[in-house]
């Protein structure tokens, strides 16, 4: 056996092994790219789901706040009727549903802000209902309820900023 035959044999084996290695590396690269594409797609879907949830939560929290304000005005002007209470309860229920959804979707930073809004709205709602029944708690008046309702707007702005930041719409801190 001469040297050229050995070189040819070694080159053939090296070529076969090298080809397998290159094929494997190319396959791994394609698989990594596929995984990246799937992750990107999932992230877009997740962001879209959060955006929808945030839009609805923001809307329903604002509508609940507005309904509380409207209800306080009605109570001052003429006294609340069943239809007025029903409208307030519908706004409360819509907000409750959106907040429940956010609890499953929103990251901790947004959820903390949404929780503050939820607690404040429920506190004002309780005051309004006690005033409506004529059984206010200590220090609860129409004025304190109206002030507490007004203060919710600042909490809503803070919640909205956290939502926008999470979605990458706003980079304000």
């Amino acid at each position: 056996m001469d040297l050229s035959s050995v070189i040819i044999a070694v080159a053939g084996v090296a070529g076969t092994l090298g080809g397998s290695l290159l094929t494997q590396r190319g396959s791994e690269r394609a698989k990594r790219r596929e995984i990246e594409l799937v992750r990107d797609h999932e992230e877009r879907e997740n962001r879209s789901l959060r955006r929808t949830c945030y839009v609805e939560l923001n809307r329903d929290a604002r509508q609940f706040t507005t309904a509380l304000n409207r209800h306080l005005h009605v109570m001052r002007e003429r006294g609340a009727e069943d239809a007025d209470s029903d409208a307030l309860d519908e706004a409360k229920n819509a907000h409750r549903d959106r907040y429940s959804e956010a609890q499953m979707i929103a990251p901790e930073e947004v959820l903390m802000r949404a929780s503050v809004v939820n607690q404040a709205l429920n506190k004002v709602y309780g005051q309004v209902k006690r005033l409506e029944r004529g059984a206010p708690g200590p220090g609860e008046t129409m004025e304190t309820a109206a002030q507490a309702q007004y203060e919710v707007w600042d909490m809503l702005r803070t919640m909205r900023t956290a939502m926008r930041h999470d979605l990458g719409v706003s980079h304000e801190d």
Side-chain angles (χ1 to χ4, degrees), residues 92-159:
K92 179 185 185 298
N93 292 338
H95 174 261
R96 181 202 58 222
D97 293 346
R98 289 308 151 250
Y99 178 68
S100 295
E101 183 181 350
Q103 287 178 310
M104 298 296 113
I105 295 172
E108 197 61 35
E109 180 63 27
V110 172
L111 195 53
M112 285 184 341
R113 306 296 185 218
S115 177
V116 168
V117 169
N118 184 58
Q119 290 172 15
L121 286 169
N122 285 318
K123 180 180 174 189
V124 175
Y125 176 82
Q127 289 178 23
V128 167
K129 291 310 238 180
R130 286 188 292 278
L131 288 166
E132 187 178 57
R133 287 191 310 268
E140 291 181 341
T141 64
M142 294 290 279
E143 290 74 28
T144 61
Q147 180 61 37
Q149 179 274 326
Y150 179 77
E151 290 170 0
V152 172
W153 289 109
D154 284 334
M155 297 172 209
L156 284 169
R157 279 187 280 281
T158 302
M159 179 183 75

